[in-house]
Amino acid sequence: MTKREFRHDVERGLGSCVLALGDEAARERFLPLVLWACGRDTAYDAQSEGNRGRYLYFLIEQYPDPAPFLDVIETRLLCSIRSRGWEFAQDCDLLAYLFSGGVPRAWKILMRCYDRLYSILRQKRRRGKYGLCPERDNFEHLCRTLVCKCFSGKAQKRKIYRRIVQDLGILFAENPLFSFWSFEWFQKESEETLGKSAVQKILCEPDAGIATYARAMEQRQKERTETRPEPGSIHPQNAEEIYAALQAGQYGYSFLWAGRLWQRNRQDEIAKLAEFYCAETDLRTRRELLRILQLRVCAGMLQLDALLADSRSGDEDLSWFAFNALCCQKSERVRAYAYELLQSGAHIAQAVSLLAVNYTDADRTALIDAVRRVPIDREDTGWHSAFWRVMDLFREHRAHGLNELLPYLYRSTLCSGCRAKVVKEMGRRRMLTPALLAELQFDCNKDIRAYAAKRLRAAERHTAGRCIAEKKRCP
């Protein structure tokens, strides 16, 4: 594996990087790249995929001395305390794995960070813009990590949980900016890890901080029981009202508005809104109307000529919404448009999406070539939609002769969630070799790791069964 290949794979969280570090020469050659990966958030969408803490631990575990990695992690963790990104969560989880793997320094770094964040929260008197408080978010994640990921023994988990609720009780008493509502996720995961009875036993202990925390928890549960949401309503109520609001400059309505109308069998209102869109000449109003109407439940009501014209618009958002709507329409004109785009070299990712939606067996060679031409860039998510549409062909059993795309999608996609779907499709088609299964055990995606483990166990049972059968046949 070259350095370029290693960086390509480590950005995607592939297990090939872990296997590549199996010999000393490779570890030395790839050390700068592993340190590079430890210094940033390489996940495509950490909120849905999960962060790369576990994956980085697999990489670091291949080295006899974790000190160089701890230096990088400690510096970045303490610098990201006030950050809204996912770097802090990744570093917390990575340190937890290192500590549970026998690295005492990792615990010292976590507790140093705990003390600093706790001090910041005690002194904080107002939230940031839009009511955000990244320090609170990061502290809650750190608390969850300490309880759920650092220890294997229940006694140690209970001990750190007790320490945290004592501190939170003091925080609630001192600073009205924070309450139990701010740490519900921590409480939920603690109950799942320790058990509700163990948690309740701790909350009944005679300690002022714990008692304050327990009262705040009871008050929150009482508020949740007493507060009953009003039946949902749609504002505005009809197409004329939303069109008038858009003309008045009240932008920002989402496609959810139309979806809720559809659920209430108000397709007539959606049809009216589609008419307003087709007739609208003001660019911003037209764009906002298409924003509402772009998805499957509404796109079928839109005129194809209008969508084709808007997909060529110089306004990037209008063009993007138009392509989304076109992907919800099956038409020979849309298929021909996809070929037109491929020939011109413009909007390759969108062309792949359109061709996949309107795919026929005659498009096999063109689609395979087009998928390989799609530019993959973190800043442009067109590839993500294109790959998703291609995988729809496999889910719908229409991917005749497209098996060769699966290894390419596996190696190319930046999204490990999509890669999990690719892997399972390869498994259904008997394309997972022993070498690839070995690689999958160290993938950044936990669903892929679990799937690989399941397949390997099944293979072991099959091999064991064959051995027993052969012994029975032999005299």
Side-chain angles (χ1 to χ4, degrees), residues 238-255:
N238 53 51
E240 284 82 1
E241 288 183 11
I242 195 168
Y243 184 59
L246 292 177
Q247 288 186 312
Q250 298 174 22
Y251 301 115
Y253 294 101
S254 79
F255 58 86

Side-chain angles (χ1 to χ4, degrees), residues 440-455:
L440 297 178
Q441 295 179 87
F442 302 102
D443 196 277
C444 70
N445 187 284
K446 64 179 182 180
D447 293 334
I448 292 177
R449 298 197 300 269
Y451 181 74
K454 179 180 177 181
R455 293 297 298 258

Side-chain angles (χ1 to χ4, degrees), residues 182-361:
S182 304
F183 294 89
E184 284 187 288
W185 193 8
F186 158 73
Q187 178 62 26
K188 179 178 181 295
E189 291 205 356
S190 295
E191 290 176 356
E192 291 175 355
T193 300
L194 300 174
K196 289 188 177 182
S197 59
V199 165
Q200 192 58 41
K201 186 176 180 181
I202 292 173
L203 295 181
C204 291
E205 292 180 4
D207 177 89
I210 293 177
T212 301
Y213 180 90
R215 285 194 300 271
M217 178 177 168
E218 291 173 3
Q219 180 62 30
R220 176 61 178 165
Q221 292 171 341
K222 182 179 179 182
E223 290 172 357
R224 187 183 292 109
T225 302
E226 293 176 349
T227 304
R228 300 187 181 278
E230 295 293 328
S233 60
I234 301 174
H235 298 285
Q237 297 288 331
N238 53 51
E240 284 82 1
E241 288 183 11
I242 195 168
Y243 184 59
L246 292 177
Q247 288 186 312
Q250 298 174 22
Y251 301 115
Y253 294 101
S254 79
F255 58 86
L256 296 176
W257 182 86
R260 290 170 66 187
L261 279 178
W262 188 276
Q263 291 173 354
R264 297 185 178 193
N265 295 317
R266 298 297 306 278
Q267 287 85 349
D268 56 327
E269 295 299 329
I270 298 174
K272 288 180 186 177
L273 209 61
E275 292 176 5
F276 289 145
Y277 155 70
C278 291
E280 184 58 49
T281 57
D282 178 73
L283 177 61
R284 186 166 185 181
T285 304
R286 186 179 181 90
R287 183 179 64 221
E288 293 301 315
L289 285 167
L290 190 52
R291 180 198 301 275
I292 298 169
L293 298 166
Q294 63 179 302
L295 296 187
R296 188 177 301 277
V297 294
C298 308
M301 296 186 177
L302 301 176
Q303 293 181 14
L304 190 53
D305 288 336
L307 294 177
L308 290 172
D310 284 345
S311 70
R312 299 183 177 95
S313 171
D315 184 281
E316 290 185 6
D317 288 338
L318 180 62
S319 176
W320 175 262
F321 298 146
F323 275 118
N324 285 345
L326 284 170
C327 285
C328 300
Q329 297 203 8
K330 293 187 178 182
S331 162
E332 184 58 34
R333 287 183 65 190
V334 175
R335 179 170 173 267
Y337 183 45
Y339 275 100
E340 178 186 329
L341 292 172
L342 290 175
Q343 188 173 7
S344 68
H347 300 292
I348 299 297
Q350 288 75 17
V352 168
S353 292
L354 298 180
L355 189 58
V357 170
N358 293 276
Y359 179 77
T360 68
D361 290 349

